[in-house]
Amino acid sequence: MTRKLQSSSLLKWILPASTSLAICGLLFLTLIWAAGKADEVASSHQRGFITLAMMKLQSAIAHDQESVTVWDDAVVESQRGDTAWIEANLGSWMHTYFSHDASLLLSPDSSLVYQFIADPKGAPDAQQFRDAYLPLVTKLRTRLSRGDTQGTSAQVLSIGEADVSSIGNRSAIVSIKPLMSHTGNVVQAPGTEFLHVAVRFLDGDLPAEIGHEYAFSDLRFTRDQPSETGAAFIPLTSRDGTPAGFFRWAPFQPGNDVLRATVPVLLVTFGTLFAGSSLAGHALFRRSERLAASRKELEHQASHDALTGLANRNFFAITLASTLANAATDQRHCILFVDLDRFKTVNDTFGHPVGDKLIMTAAARMRDLLPNSLIARVGGDEFNILLSNADAQNVEEIAKNIVTALRAPFEIDTVHIAIGASIGAAVTTGPCDPIELTRKADIALYHAKAAGRNTHAIFGSHMDELLSDRRALEADLRLALKTHSQLETFYQPVFAADTGALSSLEALARWKHPTLGDVSPDQFIPLAEETGLTHEISALVLEDACRTLAELPDIHIAVNASALELASPGYALRVLGILAKWQVQPNRLEIELTESAMTPEKSEVETTISTLRSAGVRFAIDDFGTGYSTFSRIQRIEVDRIKIDKSFIGEMHQGASKAVVSAMISMAKAKGLLVTAEGVETDEQRSALQDFGCDHLQGFLLSKPLPRSTAITLATADQRVTGIRA
């Protein structure tokens, strides 16, 4: 009986308990081993991601620098020592746009010319900065002197040096790039270039940014080796092995999490062993899946643009090179360079949040048009597209479709925005050098922009010659401004609508080239805007306008000003100084604003307008109704007049446009504003505008722009006029 009870106990309790305990113990030991391995793998991946992040950050800082260092104006203005220009373009702008903590400019003898520090409080001193960048400067000067171009490509435009360095008691990434001519027109002796130094401190907000991008918990930077129990860390050293500090973080431990979740199940009951094992296995699988998904997401982030989800510049370049290298001899490929028109105006007018949403919406439209093509965002408003096989046969149609899609208005946060796109395309068959293909696409993009934007161009052999002509025209324009020759101010009369009497003149720049003859303003004004010469042209026109005002005591003259000029801190003082020089009353000068100057927030533009209006200068909105200039937008910035754009006047024979013009005039009158109609070309238009109560008329029906002497003769004629036929 006793032996039977013992056998029963053995079968019912001891053997099941021993077997369960053995299996549970073996499973427990296995889980401990698996957890350790999983944690080791996770730790290895996280260390790799930190290393990858630092490499990407060094490359990104160097790429940021090239947006301003490979630029003729940067070389010229640095040699000239224009501190304001350097501050705006090589200093504070690098912090505002790219979050660089410090920017320095070094002369050819490596002495400090300019220094910008985003947070001067507690910042390292100049000698500490010098100790950090001087070894890199020496190495870069040596490479520049011997003409070393190793590492440059279509994406990397100039050589540079970068390293992790200690600056005082802080650690930072220090990147150095030479100031170089992007056209080749500004010649510098190798090794004598100005150098731009960019600094990004590793403490502060940077660890949080890296942690957010790569899904690290509590990522921090410390100069000393972390001593916290359980914290993971990786040392950072410069290329010569000098320690710079440590990144520490709370490690991702999927195995340990699984172990903690599984042990209570094993302890609760042996009877649920298999269920518990299954649940533990399932939990382990789920966590492994999450780790794999996290790794996949990180790989995606490394090759894609965070804002749009499109491929990034690096991924596009790698894919393009591989595709073209492996192309069959009869396989056709095409690359498209897409540049959004007027995007900077949108950013300046509505702010970066609206600009980001516009970029995302534009990317979505292109993705909908070309779901099977590689599309990459390679810059703020720049996109590259790779077309293969069948798509490459239809480049013309695809380019037109993209232009049409991006020309359609965008509605973002209840705001209607109209932009457009310029597209440059280059086509090749068979294997091809990707650098050469991208060069051709870039040239084609320039031609699309030169053609008036909102269009496309496909590279042809003639374009190299046209690009050369454009560069020659730019050089001629600079020479004309330097020698104060060829450029002349013309004046277009403005007449009272009711009496036909001459009311005022509008000063306009005209260029008579010695060999090309009259160069259209539609050709040289956009060229001046692209090359930063508008300030000099405007100064020339303003000087001549004030000289003319001094000779004509009973006339008013209007001049044009862009948002960039109005935002210049010295613009108001320059205008008042020229008025004083010619002893002209400020209320006889009217400044016409472009639509982009009507910014929605407090700005330097508003301050400039307020200063000049308090002195008596009058203001008008030019080309009213064509873009972002609306009556709701001029509630804050006071103006005296609106000038209705000629596109509305030209369509007045249509009922809808006629009603719009009438409404514009009525609303302007209600706000106490004067109204000028531009582009009046028919008697019917003049008659209708008179009936609507328009104050002044301007257009070829009345007079074309006149040379200064002819305009003075007209203005001094003591008689009532009804207009001069063009």
Side-chain angles (χ1 to χ4, degrees), residues 153-171:
S153 65
Q155 289 75 38
V156 180
L157 305 179
S158 63
I159 64 172
E161 291 291 337
D163 202 358
V164 178
S165 301
S166 293
I167 306 179
N169 61 354
R170 301 180 73 178
S171 297

Side-chain angles (χ1 to χ4, degrees), residues 133-467:
Y133 64 68
L134 192 57
L136 297 176
V137 168
T138 302
K139 185 179 294 186
L140 181 57
R141 289 268 186 223
T142 302
R143 293 181 63 194
L144 290 168
S145 297
R146 67 171 182 253
D148 184 4
T149 60
Q150 183 177 3
T152 59
S153 65
Q155 289 75 38
V156 180
L157 305 179
S158 63
I159 64 172
E161 291 291 337
D163 202 358
V164 178
S165 301
S166 293
I167 306 179
N169 61 354
R170 301 180 73 178
S171 297
I173 293 176
V174 179
S175 178
I176 305 179
K177 283 281 187 176
L179 270 58
M180 302 181 66
S181 168
H182 73 281
T183 64
N185 293 335
V186 182
V187 179
Q188 303 179 89
T192 64
E193 297 86 348
F194 280 72
L195 300 183
H196 184 263
V197 182
V199 178
R200 188 76 193 271
F201 289 117
L202 296 177
D203 49 17
D205 296 332
L206 182 60
E209 295 176 12
I210 297 175
H212 177 74
E213 182 177 358
Y214 288 89
F216 279 76
S217 176
D218 193 27
L219 180 66
R220 284 179 283 167
F221 177 83
T222 175
R223 295 274 292 182
D224 301 318
Q225 180 172 323
S227 59
E228 303 103 307
T229 302
F233 62 88
I234 184 172
L236 295 179
T237 60
S238 61
R239 282 183 289 184
D240 62 5
T242 303
F246 299 82
F247 272 124
R248 56 83 57 209
W249 66 92
F252 176 42
Q253 297 179 312
N256 195 32
D257 293 342
V258 172
L259 190 61
R260 285 198 300 267
T262 306
V263 168
V265 177
L266 298 175
L267 297 177
V268 170
T269 177
F270 292 130
T272 60
L273 175 63
F274 294 107
S277 300
S278 177
L279 291 174
H282 182 62
L284 182 61
F285 176 75
R286 287 176 58 192
R287 292 194 179 271
S288 298
E289 258 192 342
R290 290 174 186 168
L291 181 61
S294 176
R295 183 170 61 251
K296 187 176 181 180
E297 176 63 22
L298 290 173
E299 291 173 351
H300 181 273
Q301 290 177 2
S303 60
H304 288 74
D305 174 56
L307 181 63
T308 62
L310 300 175
N312 61 19
R313 179 190 294 271
N314 187 54
F315 183 77
F316 185 87
I318 293 172
T319 304
L320 176 65
S322 175
T323 300
L324 295 180
N326 298 309
T329 55
D330 60 345
Q331 192 173 15
R332 198 177 192 199
H333 292 91
C334 173
I335 184 172
L336 301 178
F337 278 17
V338 182
D339 198 355
L340 301 185
D341 296 334
R342 298 183 294 279
F343 175 74
K344 184 179 185 303
T345 299
V346 173
N347 254 357
D348 293 343
T349 304
F350 298 108
H352 291 288
V354 171
D356 287 346
K357 292 179 181 178
L358 177 62
I359 288 291
M360 289 188 288
T361 308
R365 290 186 182 181
M366 287 186 282
R367 197 160 38 213
D368 290 342
L369 282 174
L370 299 167
N372 300 318
S373 297
L374 176 61
I375 307 175
R377 182 186 180 212
V378 298
D381 60 348
E382 301 169 4
F383 300 85
N384 287 359
I385 302 174
L386 176 61
L387 305 178
S388 300
N389 300 326
D391 285 341
Q393 306 291 332
N394 304 295
V395 178
E396 188 88 26
E397 180 181 353
I398 289 173
K400 288 180 180 178
N401 290 341
I402 295 174
V403 169
T404 300
L406 297 179
R407 185 168 52 201
F410 294 78
E411 184 171 352
I412 299 175
D413 296 340
T414 71
V415 177
H416 289 275
I417 298 174
I419 51 169
S422 299
I423 299 178
V427 184
T428 185
T429 302
C432 174
D433 180 3
I435 296 176
E436 178 63 15
L437 190 63
T438 54
R439 183 189 74 85
K440 292 178 178 178
D442 196 33
I443 292 174
L445 176 61
Y446 161 73
H447 283 278
K449 291 180 178 180
R453 301 179 184 266
N454 214 19
T455 186
H456 72 279
I458 300 177
F459 179 83
S461 58
H462 66 287
M463 288 188 176
D464 279 323
E465 181 179 348
L466 292 176
L467 181 61

Side-chain angles (χ1 to χ4, degrees), residues 50 63 81 234 236 322 364 381 409 449 484 489 560 624 632 724:
I50 288 290
H63 182 68
I234 184 172
L236 295 179
S322 175
D381 60 348
K449 291 180 178 180
H484 298 284
T489 304
N560 292 281
F624 186 84
S632 63
I724 303 172

Side-chain angles (χ1 to χ4, degrees), residues 491 493 495 502 505 548 551-552 555 703 706-721 724:
Y491 295 86
F495 299 93
L502 178 66
L505 301 171
T548 303
E551 294 185 32
L552 300 173
I555 203 75
S703 176
L706 305 173
R708 182 174 183 274
S709 59
T710 306
I712 290 177
T713 300
L714 172 65
T716 54
D718 187 16
Q719 59 181 355
R720 179 168 145 157
V721 295
I724 303 172

Side-chain angles (χ1 to χ4, degrees), residues 657-669:
S657 290
K658 193 171 184 178
V660 169
V661 172
S662 176
M664 286 182 180
I665 294 173
S666 297
M667 286 189 286
K669 291 293 186 181

Side-chain angles (χ1 to χ4, degrees), residues 69-81:
T69 58
V70 184
W71 187 11
D72 287 359
D73 288 1
V75 178
V76 173
E77 299 300 335
S78 297
Q79 292 174 346
R80 187 183 296 171

Side-chain angles (χ1 to χ4, degrees), residues 75-155:
V75 178
V76 173
E77 299 300 335
S78 297
Q79 292 174 346
R80 187 183 296 171
D82 188 340
T83 305
W85 191 97
I86 294 171
E87 158 67 19
N89 293 276
L90 303 179
S92 59
W93 186 82
M94 301 300 289
H95 170 69
T96 302
Y97 200 78
F98 298 115
S99 301
H100 292 185
D101 296 305
S103 297
L104 302 90
L105 184 64
L106 308 181
S107 67
D109 63 0
S110 299
S111 61
L112 182 63
V113 175
Y114 166 82
Q115 174 176 287
F116 168 83
I117 301 176
D119 184 9
K121 186 177 180 181
D125 60 31
Q127 184 58 44
Q128 290 171 330
F129 274 106
R130 180 175 177 83
D131 291 341
Y133 64 68
L134 192 57
L136 297 176
V137 168
T138 302
K139 185 179 294 186
L140 181 57
R141 289 268 186 223
T142 302
R143 293 181 63 194
L144 290 168
S145 297
R146 67 171 182 253
D148 184 4
T149 60
Q150 183 177 3
T152 59
S153 65
Q155 289 75 38

